[in-house]
């Protein structure tokens, strides 16, 4: 045994020497050790000619995206030489409404590849076509309902593809932390939505919660994970007037003009969405006045002006003031559809205008511009830029349930607080279809709006 001790000692010395003497690359990590993919890829800030691809790794690395219109020939390449864990690579000079395949990775190694990684650029602004946009509200709670809604939505979509998908707030429960975003949002939608379709989010009140800051501080500073995790077309690169903030922005998908708004945060330390002299509302007016893409105009945010689901629009300050002070501005500019979350149910009005009071004040003969059901045979009809807005609450893609004593709200044509679901917006020229797909696969609401030109 004594004769073996020097050999054992030599072996240990050699092992330690190899470990401590291992060469490092320029990023400071041992060469040959590959960074692991922790998040993504996910698609942001899409335009007709470009897109931003984001991902996260567990160690700092450089970023490379290879892309092309043929999955077997990715002859395009975009790099970022900065050593980062939060990777953001912009692709530019692409063709409108064209499908591209891509890989992500370092300069030497590929982290994600295969035909499942692809995206389609947005259509040219103003161009009519057949467009599909998914809408998920109050989704990120890591529930069975969230997964079932996701699966049935994708099953309904079948072989059809989305042009984009949107979030109407409360995207990660319950405090909007980065860890909750990872577990409750990015992990759940990674392979079936995030890596395939560009996302245009809006924040909710739970996205402003923070375990270190108070909500009041977070509202003013916007120093929360939501703003770190998402990139949006804040500089007008996807259409609309630049907002120069991630909190609210606009963009075009063909002949649809969208406004994504922030109903909980504060601008200039004080102003909320319902403060009509504040920066957000002044930008909204500027954007809608400058908008020439007027076939369809759709606005979305978190807090609804009308609901009697898990929240009451007669009692909550944000909801009351948005209804009383703000929505008349959107109606003045001919906004066709308003989509919100917050209440964990589904509610849909008729085509209406001028109703800014409490639930008991609603008079269908006074405020409904159409007594139609909105069905295929009785669609809502309005002229381009004309009067009338349909209001939808679709806040049960994850969280579910809750009714006020007066549920359903008097202004709502259809309401359901029992089933979870997500919505699909489809626009074909001057026809808009809105479909609510439930967690059990049943379509429980569908309406049609026709634009007269």
């Amino acid at each position: 045994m004594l004769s073996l001790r020097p050999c054992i000692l030599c072996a240990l010395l050699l092992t330690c020497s190899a470990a401590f003497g291992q060469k490092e690359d320029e990023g400071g990590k041992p060469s040959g050790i590959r960074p692991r993919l922790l998040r993504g890829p996910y698609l942001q800030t899409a335009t007709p000619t470009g897109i931003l691809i984001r991902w996260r790794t567990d160690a700092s690395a450089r970023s490379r995206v290879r892309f092309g219109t043929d999955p077997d020939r990715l002859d395009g390449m975009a790099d970022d030489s900065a050593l980062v864990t939060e990777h953001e690579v912009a692709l530019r000079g692409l063709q409108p409404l064209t499908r591209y395949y891509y890989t992500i990775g370092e300069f030497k190694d590929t982290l994600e590849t295969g035909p499942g990684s692809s995206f389609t650029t947005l259509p040219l602004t103003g161009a009519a076509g057949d467009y599909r946009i998914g809408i998920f509200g109050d989704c990120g709670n890591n529930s069975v309902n969230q997964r079932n809604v996701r699966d049935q939505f994708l099953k309904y979509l079948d072989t059809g593809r989305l042009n984009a998908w949107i979030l109407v707030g409360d995207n990660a429960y319950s405090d909007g932390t980065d860890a909750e975003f990872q577990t409750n949002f990015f992990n759940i939608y990674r392979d079936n939505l995030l890596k395939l379709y560009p996302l245009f989010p809006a924040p909710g009140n739970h996205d402003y919660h923070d375990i270190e800051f108070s909500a009041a501080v977070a509202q003013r500073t916007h120093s929360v994970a939501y703003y770190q995790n998402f990139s949006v077309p804040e500089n007008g690169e996807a259409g609309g007037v630049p907002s120069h903030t991630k909190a609210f922005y606009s963009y075009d998908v063909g002949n649809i003009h969208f406004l994504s708004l922030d109903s909980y945060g504060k601008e200039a330390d004080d102003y909320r969405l319902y403060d009509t002299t504040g920066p957000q509302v002044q930008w909204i007016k500027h954007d809608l006045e400058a908008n020439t893409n007027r076939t369809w105009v759709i606005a979305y945010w978190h807090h609804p002006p009308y609901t009697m689901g898990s929240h009451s629009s007669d009692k909550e300050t944000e909801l009351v003031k948005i209804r009383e002070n703000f929505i008349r501005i959107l109606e003045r500019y001919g906004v066709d559809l308003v989509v919100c979350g917050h209440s964990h149910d589904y509610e849909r009005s008729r085509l209406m205008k001028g109703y800014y009071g409490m639930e008991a004040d609603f008079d269908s003969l006074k405020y409904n511009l159409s007594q139609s059901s909105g069905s295929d045979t009785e669609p809502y009809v309005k002229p381009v830029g004309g009067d009338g807005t349909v209001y939808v609450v679709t806040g049960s893609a994850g969280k579910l349930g809750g009714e006020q004593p007066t549920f359903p709200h008097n202004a709502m044509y259809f309401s359901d607080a029992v089933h979870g679901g997500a919505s699909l917006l489809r626009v074909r020229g001057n026809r808009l279809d809105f479909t609510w797909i439930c967690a059990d696969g049943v379509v429980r609401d569908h309406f049609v709006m026709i634009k007269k030109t």
Side-chain angles (χ1 to χ4, degrees):
M1 293 296 292
L2 291 173
S3 61
L4 293 177
R5 285 177 181 172
C7 296
I8 295 172
L9 181 60
C10 291
L12 290 171
L13 289 172
L14 286 170
T15 302
C16 293
S17 176
F20 285 104
Q22 188 174 36
K23 294 181 179 179
E24 294 184 346
D25 67 9
E26 297 175 33
K29 66 179 186 299
S31 61
I33 296 180
R34 182 186 185 190
R36 291 187 303 116
L37 185 63
L38 298 181
R39 175 182 295 178
Y42 57 109
L43 306 172
Q44 304 274 268
T45 318
T47 75
T49 59
I51 202 163
L52 181 70
I53 302 179
R54 293 187 58 167
W55 69 95
R56 175 184 289 181
T57 53
D58 66 340
S60 294
R62 295 178 174 85
S63 313
R64 171 165 288 172
V65 174
R66 295 184 181 274
F67 61 96
T69 56
D70 183 339
D72 298 320
R73 186 183 177 186
L74 304 182
D75 50 9
M77 188 168 67
D79 293 340
D80 184 350
S81 60
L83 291 164
V84 296
T85 57
E86 297 290 340
H87 303 262
E88 301 183 24
V89 176
L91 309 187
R92 300 184 177 91
L94 307 180
Q95 295 299 310
L97 204 60
T98 300
R99 187 171 184 179
Y100 288 86
Y101 301 86
Y102 68 95
T103 67
I104 62 168
E106 300 178 83
F107 283 9
K108 293 182 179 180
D109 296 320
T110 299
L111 296 176
E112 182 86 11
T113 188
S117 297
S118 68
F119 63 86
T120 300
T121 48
L122 296 186
L124 290 172
T125 293
D130 187 350
Y131 307 130
R132 296 176 176 86
I133 293 92
I135 306 172
F136 287 67
D138 301 70
C139 61
N141 70 336
N142 199 15
S143 63
V144 172
N145 180 61
Q146 183 183 9
R147 289 174 170 81
N148 288 342
V149 168
R150 173 200 64 191
D151 293 345
Q152 292 302 325
F153 179 89
L154 293 168
K155 184 178 179 181
Y156 181 88
L157 195 62
D158 194 18
T159 57
R161 287 180 61 85
L162 296 175
N163 295 92
W165 60 305
I166 67 180
L167 305 175
V168 294
D170 284 3
N171 308 302
Y173 283 93
S174 59
D175 297 307
T177 64
D178 186 75
E180 289 172 336
F181 266 102
Q182 185 67 45
T183 301
N184 301 351
F185 182 80
F186 286 103
N187 288 353
I188 289 177
Y189 299 119
R190 178 188 184 275
D191 291 323
N192 35 60
L193 286 166
L194 283 165
K195 66 190 290 185
L196 293 170
Y197 308 119
L199 174 65
F200 296 92
N205 50 288
H206 281 277
D207 299 307
Y208 275 100
H209 284 192
D210 194 286
I211 58 177
E212 295 181 359
F213 290 149
S214 67
V217 172
Q219 284 175 289
R220 294 196 309 271
T221 64
H222 296 185
S223 295
V224 291
Y226 170 88
Y227 289 103
Q228 298 171 0
N229 289 335
F230 296 122
S231 302
V232 302
E234 59 188 278
N235 298 312
E237 56 267 60
V241 171
S243 66
H244 305 301
T245 173
K246 288 185 178 182
F248 50 88
Y249 57 97
S250 61
Y251 60 97
D252 296 313
V253 178
N255 61 346
I256 317 166
H257 185 65
F258 287 98
L259 295 91
S260 174
L261 307 179
D262 179 5
S263 59
Y264 198 68
K266 294 182 178 181
E267 302 301 320
D269 291 330
D270 191 45
Y271 296 97
R272 303 283 296 277
L273 179 60
Y274 49 74
D275 295 316
T276 57
T277 61
Q280 184 171 194
V281 175
Q282 294 306 304
W283 169 82
I284 290 167
K285 291 178 179 179
H286 189 193
D287 181 83
L288 291 174
E289 287 169 0
N291 177 42
T292 59
N293 188 20
R294 299 188 60 79
T295 303
W296 297 103
V297 182
I298 298 171
Y300 60 96
W301 65 87
H302 188 60
H303 294 86
Y306 315 104
T307 181
M308 283 295 164
S310 57
H311 296 273
S312 168
S313 56
D314 277 1
K315 296 178 180 179
E316 292 189 24
T317 299
E318 286 89 1
L319 283 61
V320 171
K321 290 188 175 181
I322 285 171
R323 182 181 67 254
E324 292 178 345
N325 301 344
F326 172 64
I327 61 170
R328 67 186 72 215
I329 294 171
L330 299 186
E331 292 182 347
R332 189 184 310 151
Y333 286 100
V335 171
D336 303 299
L337 176 66
V338 166
V339 185
C340 300
H342 195 51
S343 267
H344 305 144
D345 65 344
Y346 177 89
E347 302 169 82
R348 187 255 295 186
S349 76
R350 296 181 192 261
L351 190 70
M352 63 184 192
K353 183 184 178 183
Y355 168 50
Y356 314 121
M358 305 287 272
E359 181 189 24
D361 299 328
F362 181 74
D363 182 341
S364 61
L365 295 178
K366 183 176 181 181
Y367 299 118
N368 283 341
L369 302 187
S370 168
Q371 297 303 318
S372 166
S373 65
S375 66
D376 285 298
T377 56
E378 295 182 350
Y380 302 129
V381 179
K382 63 174 289 189
V384 172
D387 290 339
T389 305
V390 175
Y391 294 86
V392 175
V393 177
T394 179
S396 60
K399 294 285 281 187
L400 174 62
E403 300 178 5
Q404 301 301 309
T406 59
F407 180 88
H409 193 289
N410 290 342
M412 295 299 175
Y413 172 77
F414 179 88
S415 302
D416 186 320
V418 176
H419 301 93
S423 299
L424 178 65
L425 172 71
R426 186 177 185 184
V427 169
R428 289 167 284 182
N430 68 333
R431 175 185 171 119
L432 180 153
D433 288 75
F434 195 99
T435 305
W436 184 50
I437 303 118
C438 295
D440 57 4
V442 176
V443 171
R444 287 189 166 83
D445 189 45
H446 170 251
F447 69 87
V448 179
M449 190 184 302
I450 302 292
K451 272 294 187 73
K452 284 184 175 180
T453 55

